[in-house]
Structure formats: structure tokens, C-alpha cells
Amino acid sequence: MSETKPIVLKIGGSVITDKDGELAARTAVINRLSEEIQKARVENLIIVHGGGSFGHPTAKKYGIKEGLREESQKLGFAETHHVMTVLNGLVMDSLVWHNIPAISVAPSCCVVTENGRIKCFNDAILKSYLRMGFAPVLYGDAVLDEKLGFTVLSGDQLVAHLAMKLAASRIVIGVDTDGLYDADPKLSKNAQLYTNLTLAELKKIQDKLDKSTASDVTGGMLGKVSELIPAVEQGIPVTIVNAAKANRVYKALMREAVEGTIIEKE
Ligand code: IPE
């Protein structure tokens, strides 16, 4: 049984899916990331992946995040969860065939939120898997909510929650840009990459971040960063890297120098 503190790795939906397509998985990217994860041999790893062109369009179509208002949305809730399990299946397929003892843990079956915030996380089984050396894999999902009936839980909220609850040593966030910029690098040529940020600096720039990137149902880059603040406050450093580029996730997992943004308490 392992005593090392876990690392929580999030792989964004825009990395493993084509957000312009419909249910469009990037299987070559998923396989490359599995290779990197396998090569890094992290002893205590929790993986969380996003929804991309699987979860987001379906959740949006049925207004799942806003909660239960009419019966017809129930099918939408089921469909949102289902498409996430389809994407998760592709990720699991790749991880397991790369010899990673990965176990899928569905948030819809162990998390309840209240107004969109995690209220209860039944993590006993997840912890047992982790202690035995398995790599639990979770994902952004449609979940039950005590006030709203149901809602969408982002992978980022899950990452911060898990990292804090399990006293993780680090969080690695794999996105489709080189890290955190002062503007959207896809829209602005002069966008500057932040390489190292303290919590105080992060809070200052938070307002400046381009809200136009926050179009997803769960909040884009702005939502991502806000979700991570409580974990950083607890002393858990966050490394944001470009998971669409080879070896960035591997280097981040190995604590090697890597292009990206490191956020630390101070
Ligand atoms: C979204 O999860 C899950 C659903 C919409 C059901 P995330 O918010 O973590 O996904 P990405 O990384 O932004 O695609």
C-alpha cells in the first residue's frame, strides 16, 4: 500500500475532443497522453477528464446546469451522463491498454451538489482503490443537486475538491493552450503567458482574464482558475500545461522543467 501523497491530473475536454465537432474524440491524443502517463509511473495518481464535444453540447441543449424544471429534461440528464460515459470509455480503453490500472469512478454515483457546489462526496471506495495502487478516473458529469434537482459538475471543481480532501501533493491541469495568459491567446496575438504566479498575483489578474473564453457550460479558463484557488490556498501547487503538445504532461508529472504556468501559495 502506498503512502505517497496523490497527484491529481485534469485533462481538459478541448484536448481530448474536437470542440467544433459532435461527439468527436481525439483518440490519437488520448493514446499519446496514456503513453505519457504510463511512462511517468506516478505511484498515486487520480485522473479527471472534461467533457468537450461530448458533455457540453448535450448539457447545454437540455439546460442541465440550470437544474430540473420540466420532465423532458430527465432524458437530457441521462443523455449527458451517457455521452460522458462514452468519452470516459474511450479514455479507459486507452489507459488500460497502456497497462495503467485505471478504474472509472462515475461522479453521478458518488457526488451530490447543492446549488452546483459539491456537498457530499462518497469517496470511501475511491480511497480504497487509491490505497491499493489503482488510478481512479473521474470526469465532469451530470449529478444530482439538493436544491436544483440536478446540475452539471465540472471536472475542475472535482479536481480541487479531490486534491484538498486527499491532501494531494500537486495538481496538474492539461489544457489546449501553453498555460494561463493575460488574454485569450487564440484571439489576441499579444497575449502574455504567466509562468509563475503566487496566489496574491493570481487573485489580482483574475478580473483581467478574458471572460469571452468562458463560453462552456462550466466556465472556460476563468472558471478553471477560480475553482483551483481554494486548493492553492491549502498549499497545493498547480501546474497548467499544454496537454495538446507532446511530453508537457509527462514533464509536469515528473516535476521536470516545462513550459506552462505554476501557481503557488506564495
Ligand atoms: C464538463 O466537464 C462535463 C459536462 C458538460 C457534463 P468539464 O467542464 O470539466 O469539461 P471541459 O474540460 O471544460 O471540456
Side-chain angles (χ1 to χ4, degrees):
M1 298 229 179
S2 164
E3 292 302 325
T4 8
K5 285 180 167 188
I7 295 180
V8 183
L9 169 67
K10 160 95 197 273
I11 302 290
S14 46
V15 174
I16 55 171
T17 75
D18 175 359
K19 281 207 164 183
D20 296 328
E22 244 179 78
L23 304 178
R26 291 190 166 125
T27 46
V29 174
I30 295 173
N31 281 330
R32 174 182 53 73
L33 287 167
S34 293
E35 258 171 52
E36 292 184 27
I37 292 166
Q38 197 267 337
K39 203 167 68 170
R41 294 184 190 283
V42 175
E43 216 183 291
N44 235 333
L45 182 67
I46 300 170
I47 301 165
V48 178
H49 67 79
S53 64
F54 284 69
H56 285 290
T58 319
K60 205 168 179 177
K61 181 175 160 199
Y62 294 97
I64 300 306
K65 192 182 179 190
E66 291 71 33
L68 176 62
R69 281 154 290 132
E70 48 187 270
E71 277 300 297
S72 61
Q73 283 177 296
K74 288 187 182 166
L75 192 58
F77 179 88
E79 198 179 312
T80 303
H81 169 67
H82 175 65
V83 292
M84 284 310 302
T85 68
V86 172
L87 177 60
N88 178 249
L90 298 173
V91 172
M92 298 310 296
D93 204 39
S94 176
L95 289 169
V96 171
W97 298 130
H98 282 85
N99 299 321
I100 297 156
I103 294 292
S104 174
V105 177
S108 55
C109 297
C110 57
V111 181
V112 175
T113 56
E114 184 177 53
N115 281 325
R117 307 306 303 170
I118 296 174
K119 182 164 186 211
C120 152
F121 193 140
N122 210 333
D123 60 3
I125 293 178
L126 182 149
K127 281 181 178 160
S128 299
Y129 276 123
L130 201 57
R131 271 197 303 272
M132 286 180 71
F134 289 98
V137 182
L138 298 92
Y139 45 89
D141 201 0
V143 298
L144 294 178
D145 187 287
E146 284 191 355
K147 289 270 154 65
L148 303 169
F150 52 55
T151 192
V152 173
L153 171 65
S154 76
D156 301 304
Q157 192 187 150
L158 260 177
V159 163
H161 181 90
L162 283 167
M164 290 189 285
K165 206 160 180 195
L166 303 173
S169 61
R170 282 171 334 115
I171 294 172
V172 176
I173 304 282
V175 292
D176 66 343
T177 62
D178 284 345
L180 189 62
Y181 286 82
D182 61 356
D184 184 349
K186 285 173 194 156
L187 302 175
S188 160
K189 269 192 202 152
N190 300 323
Q192 294 284 316
L193 179 72
Y194 294 110
T195 52
N196 283 280
L197 287 173
T198 63
L199 200 54
E201 287 166 338
L202 174 66
K203 283 181 177 170
K204 256 191 229 162
I205 62 154
Q206 228 189 337
D207 292 340
K208 285 198 224 155
L209 286 176
D210 189 358
K211 289 193 168 65
S212 66
T213 55
S215 54
D216 280 335
V217 286
T218 51
M221 197 60 150
L222 188 68
K224 215 175 273 305
V225 170
S226 318
E227 285 296 354
L228 300 170
I229 288 178
V232 181
E233 263 162 3
Q234 258 197 31
I236 305 167
V238 173
T239 308
I240 304 174
V241 290
N242 195 336
K245 293 188 179 165
N247 282 319
R248 300 270 172 103
V249 165
Y250 170 74
K251 285 184 180 167
L253 290 175
M254 298 298 287
R255 291 172 186 265
E256 285 178 17
V258 59
E259 179 160 10
T261 305
I262 297 176
I263 308 169
E264 283 169 301
K265 196 174 177 187
E266 48 211 18

